[in-house]
């Protein structure tokens, strides 16, 4: 990690400079009081505040007797003279006096007790002197009802109508039992919560020429190219007031008729900085060298890390899931890449299916050890419709991954030039080789996440991804595409919304591969597994067919 940051003092003695820009915000005073009251070491806190009010806003948007607090450094500006949030945040940074750490916040926040120690501990656990902690904080409801239900993780969402990427918060961890032991590597910045070395203020000063859109993505790229590394905190420390329209305070754009001119120049500036479209407007490029990218790493490096292709306006699958780094640095990736654990889990699942069906049939050998969904009765409609798809798409070679015991599909293998079954359970593959020795069916042990897959016309992945977590699903999809197959046929439930699953194997979810975070889009064909009049909770189960080569993963 190339960073100019130096080792700092231990958390017990570290000083923190808190940056807040407030625009006509009636919650600002309550934010400051809660911040100081709940700090473990309030004497080591300094606050830089840019207060932007109109005379009629006092006292509700003021800070009362806190104006005389020696820990507060105050810049007062008339709201009518304000040039927007980035301009105000740049002013606040002029109040930094060399404190060890800095915390940038919005003016409507609440805090956990000992929030300062919580952030310092999380920062230390990064083991990285250039670590920056940032996330979209959980919300609170006034006066102090905090959402502690989960721990947020920042991820990409999509490019907006202005052509810039947007980010989202994914609630991946339930607390406290699933809380990670160290911060999770990230790639994106939330302007409403940034914590890191105070030196970042001089290394990457806030750009006053931005307005609102483009603020977070350009700051993330600038910090990363300057050698800083971004992490999601592993502790809850701060909370944000996400205002409804009815409760919203005045905004800069509601007060200033010319806001759109500032915004247009800011958008041009952001796109210029990110290499998307060179700006021909001199006003959009004021001091661009001072507020440009860093010199430690390149913009291309940041795009590869973040999964955001600025020129093509595309977002990679790992960015949508907030999965960055390697298995060695990111526990989410470590759990999704544990092939030994997956093998154990799916061996247990097959054993449980065998035991359950044997009991249901008075100890007789079950029809299929892959479960009741692989019986000939359950797959009657599926087999008939799949036969038609194979003929229509002229599929001559098929990789069935995972294949299970291949019981239900064996009758279709004859219309193929090559049927190859792959499964992570070695005993199943050995049984299949014996069972189908006289047919044109071949089998091998493999893991759909990590095995280099042979090239076939199509890949069939039925009733498997429903057992995996989101990271593993995305990894499997990438591996499928890397094989060079033309088509993917996979189980999906088109009428469902997905819920995030962190741990994989024994759980099962009705997965919708067209919905977030997978976004596979419209399929070429839909094979409904059950008749329309079938009365069953999961009657929307289907096998969807995609042009795998054209999917944007």
């Amino acid at each position: 990690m190339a960073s100019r940051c130096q080792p700092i003092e231990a958390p017990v003695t570290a000083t923190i400079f808190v940056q807040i820009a407030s625009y006509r915000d009636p919650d600002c005073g309550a934010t400051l009081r809660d911040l100081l009251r709940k700090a473990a070491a309030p004497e080591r806190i300094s606050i830089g505040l840019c207060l932007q009010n109109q005379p009629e806003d006092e006292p509700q948007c003021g800070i009362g007797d806190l104006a005389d607090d020696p820990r507060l450094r105050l810049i007062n500006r008339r709201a009518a003279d304000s040039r927007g949030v980035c301009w105000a945040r740049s002013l606040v940074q002029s109040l930094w006096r060399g404190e060890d750490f800095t915390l940038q916040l919005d003016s409507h926040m609440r805090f956990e007790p000992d929030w300062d120690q919580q952030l310092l501990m999380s920062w230390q656990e990064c083991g990285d002197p250039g670590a920056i902690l940032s996330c979209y904080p959980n919300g609170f409801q006034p006066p102090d009802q905090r959402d502690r239900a989960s721990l947020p993780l920042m991820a990409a969402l999509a490019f907006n109508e202005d052509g810039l990427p947007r980010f989202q918060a994914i609630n991946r961890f339930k607390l406290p039992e699933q809380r990670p032991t160290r911060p999770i590597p990230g790639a994106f910045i939330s302007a409403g919560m940034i914590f890191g070395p105070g030196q970042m203020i001089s290394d990457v000063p806030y750009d006053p020429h931005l307005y609102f859109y483009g603020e977070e993505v350009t700051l993330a790229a600038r910090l990363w190219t300057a050698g800083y590394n971004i992490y999601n905190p592993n502790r809850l420390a701060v909370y944000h007031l996400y205002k409804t329209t009815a409760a919203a305070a005045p905004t800069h754009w509601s007060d200033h008729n010319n806001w759109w001119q500032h915004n247009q120049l800011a958008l041009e500036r952001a796109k210029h900085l990110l290499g998307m479209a060179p700006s021909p407007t001199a006003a959009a490029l004021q001091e661009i060298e001072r507020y440009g990218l860093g010199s430690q790493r390149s913009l291309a490096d940041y795009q590869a890390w973040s999964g955001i292709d600025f020129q093509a306006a595309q977002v990679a699958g790992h960015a949508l899931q907030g999965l960055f780094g390697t298995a060695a640095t990111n526990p989410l990736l470590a759990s999704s890449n544990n092939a030994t654990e997956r093998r154990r889990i799916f061996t247990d699942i097959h054993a449980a299916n065998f035991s359950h069906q044997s009991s249901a049939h008075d100890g007789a050998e079950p029809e299929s050890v892959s479960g009741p969904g692989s019986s000939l009765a359950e797959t009657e409609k599926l087999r008939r419709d799949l036969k038609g798809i194979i003929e229509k798409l002229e599929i001559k070679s098929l990789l069935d991954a995972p294949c299970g015991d291949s019981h239900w599909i064996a009758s279709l293998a004859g219309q193929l030039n090559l049927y190859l079954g792959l499964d992570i359970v070695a005993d199943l593959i050995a049984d299949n080789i014996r069972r189908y020795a006289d047919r044109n069916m071949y089998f091998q042990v493999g893991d759909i996440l990590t095995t280099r897959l042979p090239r076939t016309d199509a890949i069939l992945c039925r009733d498997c991804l429903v057992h995996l977590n989101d990271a593993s699903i995305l990894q499997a999809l990438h591996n499928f595409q890397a094989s060079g197959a033309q088509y993917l046929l996979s189980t999906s439930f088109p009428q469902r919304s997905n819920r995030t699953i962190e741990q994989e194997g024994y759980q099962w979810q009705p997965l919708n591969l067209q919905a977030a975070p997978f976004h596979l889009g419209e399929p070429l064909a839909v094979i409904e597994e059950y008749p329309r009049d079938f009365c069953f909770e999961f009657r929307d189960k289907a096998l969807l067919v995609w042009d795998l080569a054209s999917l944007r993963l």
Side-chain angles (χ1 to χ4, degrees):
M1 208 285 302
S3 173
R4 290 172 285 177
C5 298
Q6 301 299 316
I8 49 83
E9 296 180 80
V12 291
T13 60
T15 54
I16 300 176
F17 174 64
V18 180
Q19 308 177 51
I20 298 178
S22 175
Y23 186 88
R24 307 186 70 184
D25 190 347
D27 197 69
C28 182
T31 295
L32 298 181
R33 291 179 177 84
D34 199 60
L35 181 153
L36 292 169
R37 180 172 60 86
K38 292 180 181 172
E43 71 279 4
R44 289 194 290 275
I45 303 296
S46 300
I47 302 171
L49 173 65
C50 181
L51 200 60
Q52 305 158 86
N53 287 329
Q54 291 296 96
E56 62 268 24
D57 295 330
E58 297 292 344
Q60 67 270 20
C61 295
I63 55 175
D65 58 2
L66 285 175
D68 299 322
D69 193 304
R71 294 166 294 188
L72 180 67
R73 302 164 195 161
L74 182 62
I75 293 176
N76 267 305
R77 292 291 186 270
R78 292 175 65 246
D81 298 329
S82 172
R83 286 160 45 192
V85 64
C86 295
W87 168 82
R89 284 175 170 153
S90 177
L91 288 178
V92 169
Q93 289 193 340
S94 71
L95 301 173
W96 178 55
R97 299 293 180 264
E99 286 83 1
D100 298 316
F101 289 91
T102 185
L103 171 64
Q104 178 170 295
L105 298 169
D106 285 338
S107 55
H108 29 272
M109 313 288 290
R110 292 296 183 270
F111 303 85
E112 279 293 307
D114 301 334
W115 60 266
D116 48 343
Q117 289 296 95
Q118 299 297 317
L119 286 173
L120 287 164
M121 284 191 291
S122 290
W123 185 86
Q124 272 204 325
E125 288 162 354
C126 293
D128 178 354
I132 302 290
L133 299 173
S134 189
C135 68
Y136 287 130
N138 286 356
F140 80 90
Q141 292 299 317
D144 193 17
Q145 183 180 343
R146 286 159 278 154
D147 176 10
R148 292 189 175 104
S150 59
L151 189 73
L153 186 77
M154 280 196 75
L157 181 58
F159 278 75
N160 63 19
E161 60 276 8
D162 293 313
L164 292 175
R166 295 171 55 205
F167 307 135
Q168 62 177 323
I170 297 176
N171 292 325
R172 187 175 286 281
F173 303 98
K174 303 299 180 183
L175 296 180
E177 62 275 8
Q178 292 180 358
R179 186 173 67 190
T181 57
R182 64 181 188 272
I184 303 295
F188 309 126
I189 289 291
S190 160
M193 189 272 151
I194 308 172
F195 181 80
Q199 189 176 335
M200 65 184 282
I201 292 175
S202 59
D203 287 349
V204 188
Y206 228 81
D207 187 347
H209 302 292
L210 291 175
Y211 183 69
F212 184 77
Y213 294 112
E215 172 188 14
E216 294 177 332
V217 65
T218 56
L219 183 58
R222 292 177 63 214
L223 284 166
W224 204 85
T225 56
Y228 288 90
N229 293 316
I230 302 167
Y231 297 82
N232 296 272
N234 59 327
R235 291 178 173 84
L236 293 176
V238 302
Y239 302 82
H240 185 274
L241 179 60
Y242 295 98
K243 301 175 183 179
T244 63
T245 303
T251 61
H252 189 276
W253 49 87
S254 65
D255 286 346
H256 294 75
N257 292 332
N258 65 339
W259 73 269
W260 61 272
Q261 295 173 315
H262 294 298
N263 190 55
Q264 184 59 40
L265 288 174
L267 290 172
E268 281 192 35
R269 183 181 184 86
K271 292 177 181 179
H272 181 97
L273 186 142
L274 298 173
M276 300 171 70
S279 173
T281 310
L285 301 180
Q286 296 180 68
E287 300 184 287
I288 194 68
E289 295 82 8
R290 173 169 169 74
Y291 302 106
L293 298 173
S295 59
Q296 301 296 308
R297 293 182 285 207
S298 70
L299 180 63
D301 291 336
Y302 178 68
Q303 291 185 102
W305 171 266
S306 68
I308 304 292
D309 187 328
F310 295 114
Q311 292 79 19
Q314 292 180 359
V315 181
H318 75 274
L320 294 169
Q321 282 300 291
L323 296 172
F324 306 98
T326 66
T329 61
N330 191 329
L332 294 175
L333 292 172
S335 64
S336 71
N337 284 326
N338 191 334
T340 301
E341 177 65 8
R342 274 196 303 280
R343 186 176 298 110
R344 182 187 66 79
I345 286 171
F346 284 100
T347 299
D348 288 351
I349 289 173
H350 284 292
N353 284 335
F354 184 90
S355 175
H356 175 75
Q357 292 187 76
S358 294
S359 299
H361 293 85
D362 298 323
E365 183 174 343
E367 180 182 342
S368 171
V369 297
S370 295
S374 294
S375 70
L376 295 181
E378 285 284 325
T379 60
E380 179 181 2
K381 182 178 184 300
L382 170 63
R383 285 180 287 119
R384 182 180 67 247
D385 294 347
L386 180 57
K387 184 177 186 295
I389 289 293
I390 290 173
E391 293 173 350
K392 179 180 179 181
L393 298 180
E394 298 182 341
I395 295 172
K396 301 300 182 183
S397 57
L398 178 72
L399 174 65
D400 187 2
C403 61
D405 65 2
S406 297
H407 174 71
W408 70 271
I409 200 172
S411 62
L412 299 179
Q415 72 180 104
L416 300 166
N417 292 338
L418 172 67
Y419 170 90
L420 176 60
L422 179 141
D423 205 286
I424 199 170
V425 182
D427 288 346
L428 265 176
I429 293 299
D431 288 342
N432 286 353
I433 291 173
R434 289 191 295 268
R435 185 181 300 117
Y436 302 108
D438 60 343
R439 301 199 189 190
N440 187 32
M441 299 172 70
Y442 301 89
F443 300 91
Q444 73 177 63
V445 177
D447 183 340
I448 63 171
L449 274 69
T450 59
T451 297
R452 184 174 179 178
L453 304 176
R455 181 166 187 170
T456 54
D457 292 339
I459 296 175
L460 170 65
C461 184
R462 180 174 181 256
D463 288 345
C464 176
L465 302 183
V466 291
H467 288 288
L468 302 182
N469 65 27
D470 293 347
S472 293
I473 293 169
L474 285 164
Q475 187 174 346
L477 293 172
H478 278 281
N479 201 31
F480 290 158
Q481 193 173 62
S483 76
Q486 182 64 48
Y487 303 110
L488 171 66
L489 298 82
S490 190
T491 302
S492 189
F493 294 77
Q495 299 175 18
R496 308 302 172 110
S497 296
N498 296 325
R499 58 187 177 88
T500 299
I501 288 183
E502 298 83 26
Q503 306 300 320
E504 66 187 14
Y506 296 111
Q507 84 291 323
W508 181 93
Q509 66 165 328
L511 186 72
N512 184 351
L513 290 173
Q514 294 174 270
F518 312 109
H519 303 287
L520 294 198
E522 288 300 313
L524 298 175
V526 177
I527 302 175
E528 296 176 342
E529 292 210 16
Y530 299 102
R532 292 187 177 276
D533 59 352
F534 197 85
C535 184
F536 179 51
E537 182 182 0
F538 302 110
R539 194 194 60 78
D540 60 326
K541 181 184 179 186
L543 196 68
L544 272 58
V545 184
W546 285 278
D547 184 333
L548 179 59
S550 67
L551 292 180
R552 293 181 176 180
L553 299 176

